[in-house]
């Protein structure tokens, strides 16, 4: 079925492009789990491998302190549509079983610090010896060599070491980090992109491979314009401007300005055109584009004083009619109440424990269809028995029956082992 534009309707069956792909997700926190979730959204089957007793540390690291059905809401947002089994990789039987799963897998995702998977025997070279066609994704904080390789791979720390906080705010501010886990989020995109690219090569040639990236590389890639300019012109320095400026390297009027009931954002716009539309003679007279740079803070102050005399909608009505690049600066509540948010249908309900949780969906549409899933993040070890029944160990198969889940009944790791594992985890 198609709609009147010829696009498939959401009632038509959706052929998700990664159907049939088996992913083992050894990662925790944010970047690795979100990368695996992106693959799950595209149809892959993702089995999360977690330590007994504690599981992914993200289960207890609560965003805004909020929980749902025993796990943090943020954990649900990062791990929907997955299965979970528990395995203590320091216990020989558990590790042996996981290696048997590795033989059957198409993809492995891990984000431990450099050296951890080598000590366990699940690094790329060891895994490739077990499964030559494996696609192996390794995510770190700062790469696998160099003086920073052992530093904690955490979003704020990676932002800070990349210089990003000095690009935000005004010249009177200290460093201003991005208020979301942008390094983790972007790295998850790069992991998923690398995995899908290697899967294409695998289907084309039969060859698996290793994809590697890091929080630092994600942050450096984000700055491709700045770094490319600086690398070719050493005179370039970061010089933030006045309180209304939104970019250290773009001229006025680029920024945000207060109105009587909120804020309005202005992108790149010719100053004379703004002056004519708003009735500001000083701007109408600025015919030389260089003045937008030379008198940047003066222009911003003039605009701020003018916008402060009317409502946001009043100015939007004038500027939209003149095809000026502008937008309201919405609060979180205003965004959620807006028609634009409703129209893009970015939410979906997932269910666990008889209750529904509203979360986001994949931002990708395939064949005109939105990708959604009703399966919430799994409870710790939820799929121990079903996975072991489907993929019995060789020992169990030789005995003629799959045993009860050893991993599911294993005692929780000791406090020392748990603390060590926490410190070993990265990104």
């Amino acid at each position: 079925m198609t709609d009147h534009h010829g696009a498939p309707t959401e009632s038509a069956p959706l052929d998700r492009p990664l159907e049939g792909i088996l992913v083992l997700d050894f990662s925790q926190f944010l970047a690795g789990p979100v990368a695996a979730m992106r693959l799950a959204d595209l149809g892959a089957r993702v089995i999360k491998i977690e330590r007994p007793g504690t599981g992914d540390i993200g289960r207890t690291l609560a965003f805004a302190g909020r929980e749902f059905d025993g796990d943090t809401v943020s954990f649900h947002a990062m791990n929907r549509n997955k299965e979970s089994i528990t395995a203590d990789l320091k216990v020989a039987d558990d590790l042996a079983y996981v290696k048997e799963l590795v033989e059957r897998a198409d993809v492995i995702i891990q984000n431990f610090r450099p050296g951890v998977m080598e000590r366990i025997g699940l690094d790329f070279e060891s895994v490739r010896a077990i499964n030559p066609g494996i696609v192996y994704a390794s995510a770190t904080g700062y790469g696998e060599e160099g003086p920073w390789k052992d530093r904690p791979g955490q979003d704020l720390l990676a932002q800070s070491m990349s210089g990003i906080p000095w690009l935000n705010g005004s010249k009177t501010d200290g460093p201003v980090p991005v208020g979301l886990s942008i390094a983790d989020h972007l790295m998850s995109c790069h992991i998923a992109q690398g995995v899908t690219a290697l899967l294409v090569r695998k289907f084309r040639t039969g060859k698996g491979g290793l994809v590697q990236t890091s929080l630092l590389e994600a942050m450096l890639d984000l700055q491709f314009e700045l770094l490319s300019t600086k690398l070719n012109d050493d005179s370039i320095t970061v010089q933030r401007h006045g309180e209304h400026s939104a970019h250290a390297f773009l001229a006025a009027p680029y920024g945000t300005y207060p109105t009587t009931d909120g804020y309005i954002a202005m992108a790149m716009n010719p100053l004379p055109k703004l002056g004519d539309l708003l009735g500001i003679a000083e701007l109408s007279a600025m015919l030389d584009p260089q003045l937008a740079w030379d008198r940047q803070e003066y222009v911003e102050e003039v605009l701020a004083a003018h916008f402060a005399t009317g409502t946001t909608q009043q100015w939007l009505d004038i500027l939209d009619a003149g095809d000026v690049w502008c937008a309201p600066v919405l609060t979180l509540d205003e965004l959620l109440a807006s028609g634009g948010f409703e129209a893009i249908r970015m939410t979906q309900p997932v269910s666990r424990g008889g209750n529904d949780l509203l979360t986001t969906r994949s931002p990708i549409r395939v064949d005109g269809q939105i990708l959604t899933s009703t399966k919430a993040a799994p409870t710790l070890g939820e799929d121990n028995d079903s996975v072991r029944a489907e993929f019995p160990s060789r020992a169990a198969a030789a005995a003629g029956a799959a045993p009860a889940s050893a991993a599911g009944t294993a005692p929780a790791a000791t406090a020392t082992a748990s603390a060590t594992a926490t410190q070993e985890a990265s990104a």
Side-chain angles (χ1 to χ4, degrees):
M1 293 178 61
T2 61
D3 63 17
H4 64 283
H5 297 295
T9 65
E10 291 192 34
S11 60
L14 175 58
D15 182 11
R16 296 180 188 249
L18 295 185
E19 290 281 357
I21 298 297
L22 176 59
V23 178
L24 299 184
D25 178 13
F26 290 89
S27 63
Q28 56 183 339
F29 296 116
L30 198 159
V34 173
M37 184 182 70
R38 295 186 190 283
L39 301 177
D41 286 337
L42 291 168
R45 178 183 182 182
V46 177
I47 300 177
K48 194 172 177 67
I49 313 292
E50 301 185 76
R51 73 171 62 89
T54 56
D56 182 341
I57 298 169
R59 289 183 180 273
T60 56
L61 290 177
F63 185 95
R66 299 300 193 268
E67 295 187 353
F68 173 81
D69 193 35
D71 288 314
T72 65
V73 171
S74 51
F75 179 82
H76 282 279
M78 301 173 201
N79 290 280
R80 64 173 181 267
N81 206 21
K82 298 181 185 179
E83 300 167 59
S84 169
I85 67 169
T86 51
D88 187 341
L89 300 180
K90 296 180 180 179
V91 173
D93 287 347
D94 281 7
L95 180 59
Y97 180 69
V98 167
K99 287 183 177 180
E100 291 184 28
L101 289 181
V102 166
E103 292 181 46
R104 297 175 166 96
D106 298 291
V107 177
I108 284 176
I109 296 177
Q110 67 89 12
N111 63 346
F112 292 100
R113 289 190 189 181
V116 173
M117 292 299 260
E118 284 80 359
R119 292 195 294 272
I120 296 172
L122 289 174
D123 57 292
F124 172 62
E125 293 300 333
S126 300
V127 165
R128 184 166 61 169
I130 300 171
N131 181 348
I134 198 73
V135 171
Y136 190 106
S138 177
T140 61
Y142 310 95
E144 300 190 14
E145 57 186 26
W148 295 350
K149 67 181 180 65
D150 294 321
R151 296 197 64 84
Q154 192 276 334
D155 192 275
L156 173 61
L157 309 184
Q159 282 194 50
S160 299
M161 295 178 72
S162 75
I164 287 285
W166 291 111
L167 295 174
N168 303 315
S170 72
K171 64 183 180 182
T172 61
D173 295 319
V176 181
V178 177
L180 293 168
S181 298
I182 189 170
D184 278 306
H185 189 87
L186 289 176
M187 186 166 77
S188 78
C189 297
H190 300 323
I191 296 169
Q193 179 184 12
V195 166
T196 51
L198 285 186
L199 284 173
V200 170
R201 186 178 73 180
K202 178 179 178 179
F203 298 149
R204 182 168 52 83
T205 68
K207 179 183 178 182
L210 171 66
V211 58
Q212 298 165 286
T213 190
S214 67
L215 294 174
L216 181 61
E217 286 164 296
M219 287 292 87
L220 298 181
D221 177 70
L222 182 61
Q223 299 176 77
F224 67 97
E225 293 173 294
L226 170 58
L227 291 176
S228 296
T229 305
K230 174 68 173 178
L231 290 169
N232 292 280
D233 183 351
D234 194 51
S235 69
I236 295 294
T237 58
V238 176
Q239 295 181 341
R240 295 179 296 177
H241 304 291
E243 63 177 306
H244 304 294
S245 174
H247 203 296
F249 294 96
L250 291 178
Y254 202 94
T256 58
Y257 302 89
T259 65
T260 57
D261 62 350
Y263 286 82
I264 188 169
M266 303 292 297
M268 295 79 72
N269 290 286
L271 296 182
K273 181 177 182 179
L274 283 180
D276 293 345
L277 285 170
L278 297 172
I280 305 175
E282 299 100 307
L283 301 189
S284 297
M286 290 186 174
L287 301 178
D288 182 355
Q290 184 62 35
L291 292 174
W293 292 99
D294 296 344
R295 307 201 66 189
Q296 180 169 356
E297 292 186 29
Y298 170 74
V299 170
E300 291 169 358
E301 291 171 0
V302 168
L303 282 171
H306 194 79
F307 284 132
T309 65
T311 67
T312 300
Q313 190 59 53
Q314 174 186 336
W315 301 124
L316 289 174
D317 290 342
I318 295 171
L319 297 172
D320 286 345
D323 196 27
V324 167
W325 289 6
C326 62
V329 182
L330 301 180
T331 65
L332 178 59
D333 289 337
E334 289 169 341
L335 166 67
L336 296 179
S338 69
F341 182 79
E342 180 182 8
I344 208 163
R345 294 180 290 167
M346 194 62 201
T347 63
Q348 63 178 348
V350 293
S351 299
R352 197 176 91 179
N355 297 304
D356 286 345
L357 172 75
L358 200 60
T359 185
T360 53
R361 62 163 174 84
S362 169
I364 297 173
R365 301 185 188 215
V366 173
D367 295 332
Q369 295 193 46
I370 288 172
L371 303 179
T372 59
S373 171
T374 59
K375 187 181 188 305
T379 58
L380 180 61
E382 176 180 315
D383 302 286
N384 279 333
D385 293 333
S386 61
V387 169
R388 283 179 172 266
E390 181 181 358
F391 304 119
S393 68
R394 292 193 182 91
S405 171
T409 58
T414 64
T416 300
S418 178
T420 300
T422 300
Q423 292 187 359
E424 287 177 340
S426 171

